[in-house]
C-alpha cells in the first residue's frame, strides 16, 4: 500500500508496492499545486548553490522579516521550520497539553505528535451527514479543562472544509489552547480573512501552522512556519534542532513571498478546475464532499463492489496514484482522496477511473 509511511505522494513506496510505470506516476495522492514550483525556485538553485558551503542563518532572519511584513505581525511571533510537520511535533512538545481533542478524520500527524508526547486524546468525530463540518454544537458537548488543547485543520485534511466562524467562536471561549493547522489556507479564496494567524501572534492560547510546500509545490525542500505568542515561540526555538531550515529553503521562502502572479494564476486555475473535476466524478456515480481547497474527499457508493484499497491498486496499474482515505481514523473503506490537477490530467484521471470501474472490482483477484 502507498501509505506505509502514513502519507500520500510517496513515490518510493509506490514503486515498491506497484512497480514503476514507464511514463512515470500521475500523482493524485499528494495535494500539490500542479503548476510546479515558480521559476524563482530554479533561479535560486542555479545562482545560490555555492552558498551551501556555509551554514544557513540559524535564526532565519531574512525570511522571518519578510513573513512579518507580509502578515503584519512581529518577527518574534514567527518560527520557521523544516516543513509544517516539524513544527506540529515541536508545538505539541512546547505546549505540553494535559489532554487534547482531535477532530476525526484529520491529518495523521496531529494524533501521532500527541501520542509521541504521551498526551491523552479525546476524539471529536466529524460526520458524513453534514459534509464533515465541525459545528459549534459538537464543541458545546466537549468538556475542555485548563491545560487542554484542541487540534484542528483549517481547512481540514482530508475533508477540505474550513472550520465555520461560529465553531471558531465557540473554541475561542473554551479554556483550551487552539492548535490550528492552516497548511492549505492559501488555496481558499479570502483565506486570510478566515485565518487566525494575526490573532495567534498576540494570543497566549492560539497557535497557527502554515506550510509553504503545497501552494508553491516545494515539498522536497521542506518549509513551513508557526505563528504564536513570542513567549511560546521562544520555547519552541529552544526545542528545535539548530539549522533546521537549510540555506536554499530560506532563500526560496523569501522569493516565494513575492510571487503574486503565480498565486493569482493558482487561484484562477482552482476556481475553474475543481468544479469540473467534481462534476466528472459525480457523473461516475461517486459522491464528493464539498471542498474549499485543492483536494477532494470522494466516496464509492455503499453497494459498490469496490473499496478504496482495491481502486488504488487498480489505478496504480494505470499509472495513477490515489490516496486510500480509509486509513484516516473515522472513515471507512469507501473513501479515497484526490488532488485537483491540470485540465488534461483531470481528464485522464476521469477516463481511467471510468474504465477501471467498468472493468469490475473482482478481476485481479484482489480482496
Ligand atoms: C494538513 C497538513 N498539514 C501539514 C502538512 C505538512 O506539511 P509540510 O510539507 O509543510 O511539512 C501536511 C502534509 O501533507 C498536511 O496535509
Amino acid at each position: 500500500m502507498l501509505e506505509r509511511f502514513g502519507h500520500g505522494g510517496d513515490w518510493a513506496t509506490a514503486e515498491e508496492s506497484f512497480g514503476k510505470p514507464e511514463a512515470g506516476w500521475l500523482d493524485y495522492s499528494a495535494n500539490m499545486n500542479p503548476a510546479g514550483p515558480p521559476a524563482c525556485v530554479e533561479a535560486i538553485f542555479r545562482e545560490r548553490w555555492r552558498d551551501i558551503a556555509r551554514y544557513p542563518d540559524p535564526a532565519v532572519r531574512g525570511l522571518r522579516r519578510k513573513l512579518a511584513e507580509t502578515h503584519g505581525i512581529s518577527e518574534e511571533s514567527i518560527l520557521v521550520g523544516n516543513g509544517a510537520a516539524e513544527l506540529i511535533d515541536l508545538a505539541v512538545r512546547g505546549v505540553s497539553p494535559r489532554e487534547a481533542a482531535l477532530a476525526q478524520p484529520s491529518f495523521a500527524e496531529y494524533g501521532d505528535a500527541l501520542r509521541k508526547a504521551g498526551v491523552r486524546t479525546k476524539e471529536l468525530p466529524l460526520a458524513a451527514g453534514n459534509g464533515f463540518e465541525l459545528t459549534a454544537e459538537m464543541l458545546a458537548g466537549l468538556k475542555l479543562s485548563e491545560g487542554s488543547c484542541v487540534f484542528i485543520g483549517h481547512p481540514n485534511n482530508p475533508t477540505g472544509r474550513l472550520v465555520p466562524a461560529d465553531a471558531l467562536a465557540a473554541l475561542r471561549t473554551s479554556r483550551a489552547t487552539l492548535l490550528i493547522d492552516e497548511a492549505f489556507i492559501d488555496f481558499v479564496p479570502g483565506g486570510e480573512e478566515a485565518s487566525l494567524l494575526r490573532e495567534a501572534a498576540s494570543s497566549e492560547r492560539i497557535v497557527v501552522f502554515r506550510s509553504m510546500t503545497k501552494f508553491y509545490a516545494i515539498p522536497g525542500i521542506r518549509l513551513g512556519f508557526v505563528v504564536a505568542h513570542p513567549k511560546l515561540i521562544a520555547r519552541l526555538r529552544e526545542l528545535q534542532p539548530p539549522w533546521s531550515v537549510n540555506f536554499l529553503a530560506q532563500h526560496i521562502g523569501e522569493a516565494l513571498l513575492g510571487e503574486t502572479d503565480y498565486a493569482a494564476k493558482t487561484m484562477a486555475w482552482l476556481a475553474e478546475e475543481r468544479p469540473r473535476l467534481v462534476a466528472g466524478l459525480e457523473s461516475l456515480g461517486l459522491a464528493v464532499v464539498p471542498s474549499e481547497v485543492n483536494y477532494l474527499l470522494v466516496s464509492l457508493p455503499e453497494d459498490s463492489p469496490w473499496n478504496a484499497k482495491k481502486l488504488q491498486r487498480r489505478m496504480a496499474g494505470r499509472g495513477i496514484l490515489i490516496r486510500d482515505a480509509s486509513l484516516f481514523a473515522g472513515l471507512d473503506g469507501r473513501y479515497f482522496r484526490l488532488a485537483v490537477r491540470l485540465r488534461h490530467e483531470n481528464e485522464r484521471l476521469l477516463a481511467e477511473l471510468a474504465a477501471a470501474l467498468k472493468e469490475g472490482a473482482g478481476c485481479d483477484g484482489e480482496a
Side-chain angles (χ1 to χ4, degrees):
M1 76 176 175
L2 173 61
E3 299 82 359
R4 196 183 311 150
F5 295 97
H7 300 286
D10 182 347
W11 293 46
T13 301
E15 282 173 20
E16 277 176 14
S17 308
F18 309 120
K20 191 173 175 175
E22 238 167 67
W25 296 109
L26 179 56
D27 188 8
Y28 275 84
S29 73
N31 305 320
M32 231 42 75
N33 188 333
C40 68
V41 175
E42 190 184 339
I44 286 168
F45 271 97
R46 242 187 300 108
E47 288 157 22
R48 308 295 307 255
W49 70 270
R50 277 178 210 282
D51 293 335
I52 61 169
R54 291 188 279 136
Y55 274 102
D57 173 7
V60 198
R61 274 167 275 225
L63 179 52
R64 276 180 39 241
R65 198 173 310 124
K66 287 221 164 119
L67 285 168
E69 276 165 25
T70 304
H71 294 288
I73 55 177
S74 75
E75 290 167 42
E76 292 69 37
S77 60
I78 303 170
L79 181 68
V80 182
N82 191 36
E86 180 197 26
L87 299 165
I88 288 168
D89 191 71
L90 269 187
V92 167
R93 289 194 281 137
V95 170
S96 184
R98 232 174 312 138
E99 61 173 347
L102 191 58
Q104 282 193 334
S106 63
F107 183 50
E109 293 300 320
Y110 314 153
D112 288 351
L114 291 162
R115 208 169 16 259
K116 280 189 268 174
V119 181
R120 191 157 44 93
T121 303
K122 281 186 197 167
E123 285 155 25
L124 201 52
L126 303 174
N130 72 344
F132 296 97
E133 198 162 87
L134 184 66
T135 64
E137 294 75 56
M138 286 166 62
L139 294 165
L142 193 69
K143 301 271 171 290
L144 295 167
S145 56
E146 197 71 47
S148 61
C149 81
V150 182
F151 215 136
I152 39 176
H154 180 55
N156 192 34
N157 178 6
T159 60
R161 308 302 302 260
L162 281 169
V163 181
D166 61 342
L168 284 177
L171 283 168
R172 279 193 196 90
T173 58
S174 78
R175 286 177 295 171
T177 298
L178 310 183
L179 300 175
I180 312 282
D181 181 6
E182 296 187 353
F184 287 96
I185 207 159
D186 293 332
F187 288 101
V188 179
E192 286 305 322
E193 284 96 77
S195 168
L196 277 74
L197 183 145
R198 289 222 181 104
E199 215 177 320
S202 54
S203 162
E204 298 208 22
R205 295 233 336 272
I206 302 181
V207 179
V208 165
F209 304 94
R210 289 283 180 99
S211 170
M212 296 181 81
T213 70
K214 287 106 185 18
F215 193 80
Y216 297 104
I218 53 158
I221 201 82
R222 318 297 306 122
L223 192 60
F225 59 99
V226 59
V227 175
H229 191 280
K231 276 200 291 196
L232 177 61
I233 291 295
R235 188 149 80 241
L236 301 186
R237 188 173 304 122
E238 280 172 18
L239 291 173
Q240 188 180 37
W243 307 297
S244 183
V245 187
N246 72 69
F247 181 90
L248 292 170
Q250 294 192 24
H251 284 275
I252 287 169
E254 286 184 46
L256 292 177
L257 293 175
E259 286 288 339
T260 46
D261 276 2
Y262 177 93
K265 281 188 191 139
T266 294
M267 299 312 275
W269 149 77
L270 188 57
E272 251 186 65
E273 294 312 320
R274 189 180 58 212
R276 282 181 76 100
L277 182 55
V278 170
L281 292 165
E282 286 175 346
S283 74
L284 298 179
L286 300 163
V288 185
V289 175
S291 165
E292 285 161 291
V293 282
N294 60 323
Y295 52 88
L296 303 170
L297 183 60
V298 185
S299 63
L300 292 152
E302 262 178 49
D303 58 357
S304 170
W306 288 93
N307 59 38
K309 185 167 167 272
K310 268 198 230 182
L311 191 61
Q312 180 186 67
R313 176 162 287 280
R314 190 67 63 81
M315 292 299 286
R318 294 170 172 269
I320 296 180
L321 296 178
I322 66 170
R323 177 79 157 93
D324 175 359
S326 68
L327 300 164
F328 284 91
L331 294 182
D332 64 32
R334 292 179 302 131
Y335 284 92
F336 60 99
R337 196 195 62 201
L338 298 171
V340 181
R341 296 193 58 96
L342 301 177
R343 169 96 42 105
H344 70 279
E345 296 170 328
N346 296 337
E347 281 169 358
R348 179 174 157 209
L349 169 82
L350 290 169
E352 298 285 13
L353 260 177
L357 291 171
K358 211 161 132 202
E359 259 171 27
C363 59
D364 58 2
E366 270 291 305

